Amino acid sequence: MAALSLRQAAQQAGVSKSTILRAIQKGRVSSTRTADGGHAIDPAELARVYPGATAQRTSTDAMGQDAPAAATDETPALRAEIDGLKAQLALMRDQLDDVKTQRDEWATQAKQATRLLADQRPARRGWFGLGKAG
């Protein structure tokens, strides 16, 4: 299999180009320099350092050609789940509005009941115990 460029290695490993470059600079990944100054990375070397990288990927896989097809397979299911969650959120917001309305009504009733209570405190007396109306 042909050597991989920095970009191809990053795509296969699922990391950024700068991550691969740092690994090369630290000596974790070995590479050879190309005539134009780029890096040539052996796919087996990439698989050694990044076990998730598969050395058997085709060139169309490395370019991401198959990714949209995989994403479209999951899209209807994810869309249905999102729609369901949005409906559930709307229902919960309606319930919250109902609870707030009920709370406000109960608070109003409590205030009205408090105003209707008669003053049950004993009558005040004057300085010398003489009855003084209130």
Side-chain angles (χ1 to χ4, degrees):
M1 185 173 255
L4 301 171
S5 69
L6 196 60
R7 178 183 56 80
Q8 292 168 332
Q11 286 176 339
Q12 283 195 8
V15 295
S16 67
K17 288 188 332 183
S18 60
T19 301
I20 298 290
L21 185 60
R22 280 194 304 270
I24 291 170
Q25 290 169 344
K26 291 181 180 181
R28 291 191 349 238
V29 175
S30 62
S31 71
T32 56
R33 296 293 274 193
T34 61
D36 64 354
H39 291 275
I41 303 165
D42 184 6
E45 175 68 8
L46 186 68
R48 179 186 66 81
V49 178
Y50 296 98
T54 58
Q56 287 77 23
R57 286 188 180 178
T58 64
S59 61
T60 57
D61 286 344
M63 298 298 288
Q65 299 285 332
D66 292 338
T72 56
D73 291 343
E74 295 177 358
T75 302
L78 293 174
R79 177 58 48 203
E81 186 174 356
I82 289 171
D83 291 342
L85 289 171
K86 284 182 179 179
Q88 188 176 10
L89 178 62
L91 177 65
M92 293 179 84
R93 283 185 175 154
D94 290 342
Q95 289 175 342
L96 180 61
D97 290 340
D98 290 343
V99 168
K100 285 180 179 178
T101 302
Q102 289 176 1
R103 177 204 58 200
D104 294 342
E105 289 173 359
W106 281 108
T108 302
Q109 288 180 10
K111 286 179 185 176
Q112 289 173 349
T114 303
R115 280 190 221 121
L116 293 175
L117 291 175
D119 188 8
Q120 300 294 321
R121 293 178 289 181
R124 287 184 359 186
R125 299 204 171 236
W127 282 92
F128 299 105
L130 301 174
K132 183 176 179 183

